[in-house]
Amino acid sequence: MKKLVLALFCCLCVLFVVGCQGLAKKPPVKVTNGGDGSFPDFLVGKWQADKGQWEFVFEPDGTISSAVIDNGMVRVKPTSDRITTIPMKMGGKGIYKLGQWAVQYSPETRELVVEVVVDHFHLEMGPSALEGNSEDWFIGRVSEDSQTWVAEWTSFPKYIAYTPDPNELPVDIEDSPRGTLIFRKVQ
């Protein structure tokens, strides 16, 4: 009987350790830097796009502390508030649940890559609603004077309209490339 209790105790300990490691959360913004591994000072700060409403605020460690996303033109905080709720103009509310974002910088090529993931959004618009998810990629070079970042924007959205029945809105893969955005550093 003692061996059985000891074996059960060992199994519980193993399950606890393995289970707890499985519960470890991923960082809200995964940062990968080339070179010496540090995020360059010239990228720290606010960057705004010339079209749309995109904006990123990079911290010294490379994380994005806040951003304005084009889907709803809403400010989100990926490192702190993983869920953002906003009031809608026609009543109701909008809810954005963020996924894991990524920032990657290569000092050799001066290429900056940002991946924005919205795991789920729900926007109430009067008697109708729109929900879905999206993933947006921004890939491009930072200028030699470190004041502009020319990025190719690609978007992978999924939209479901409730009017009142759910209808998935078709998204043509050819429409995914959104074009070139020029981000400028705001002093």
Side-chain angles (χ1 to χ4, degrees):
M1 182 69 170
K2 286 184 181 180
K3 288 183 178 179
L4 179 61
V5 170
L6 181 60
L8 286 173
F9 178 75
C10 289
C11 287
L12 287 173
C13 288
V14 168
L15 286 173
F16 178 76
V17 170
V18 171
C20 287
Q21 289 175 349
L23 294 176
K25 292 183 177 180
K26 294 179 182 177
V29 179
K30 181 181 177 186
V31 179
T32 306
N33 295 304
D36 65 2
S38 63
F39 196 70
D41 289 338
F42 63 82
L43 287 176
V44 175
K46 184 189 292 187
W47 292 77
Q48 290 180 329
D50 63 333
K51 296 180 272 189
Q53 298 296 316
W54 287 100
E55 175 187 294
F56 299 111
V57 178
F58 294 100
E59 295 301 315
D61 64 357
T63 60
I64 298 171
S65 59
S66 84
V68 175
I69 59 176
D70 197 49
N71 179 358
M73 290 161 242
V74 61
R75 181 168 300 280
V76 295
K77 297 180 179 178
T79 55
S80 59
D81 302 328
R82 305 297 296 152
I83 296 177
T84 300
T85 303
I86 60 166
M88 298 297 287
K89 289 182 179 179
M90 295 173 25
K93 61 185 173 184
I95 301 170
Y96 295 84
K97 180 182 177 200
L98 305 180
Q100 184 177 34
W101 291 21
V103 174
Q104 183 176 347
Y105 180 72
S106 170
E108 294 83 21
T109 61
R110 297 185 66 86
E111 184 175 70
L112 177 62
V113 177
V114 173
E115 180 182 2
V116 173
V117 178
V118 177
D119 279 343
H120 183 77
F121 65 86
H122 179 85
L123 306 173
E124 298 169 356
M125 300 171 285
S128 303
L130 179 69
E131 69 178 32
N133 55 53
S134 64
E135 188 171 326
D136 293 274
W137 298 350
F138 303 88
I139 303 170
R141 290 178 43 91
V142 177
S143 65
E144 292 295 327
D145 67 0
S146 306
Q147 296 302 303
T148 58
W149 167 39
V150 179
E152 292 302 316
W153 172 31
T154 305
S155 184
F156 305 96
K158 178 180 179 181
Y159 302 117
I160 299 172
Y162 291 87
T163 59
D165 296 325
N167 295 300
E168 185 169 346
L169 302 177
V171 176
D172 186 351
I173 195 69
E174 296 297 321
D175 291 336
S176 289
R178 300 290 185 181
T180 303
L181 295 179
I182 300 172
F183 286 84
R184 296 195 193 310
K185 188 163 187 186
V186 178
Q187 300 300 328

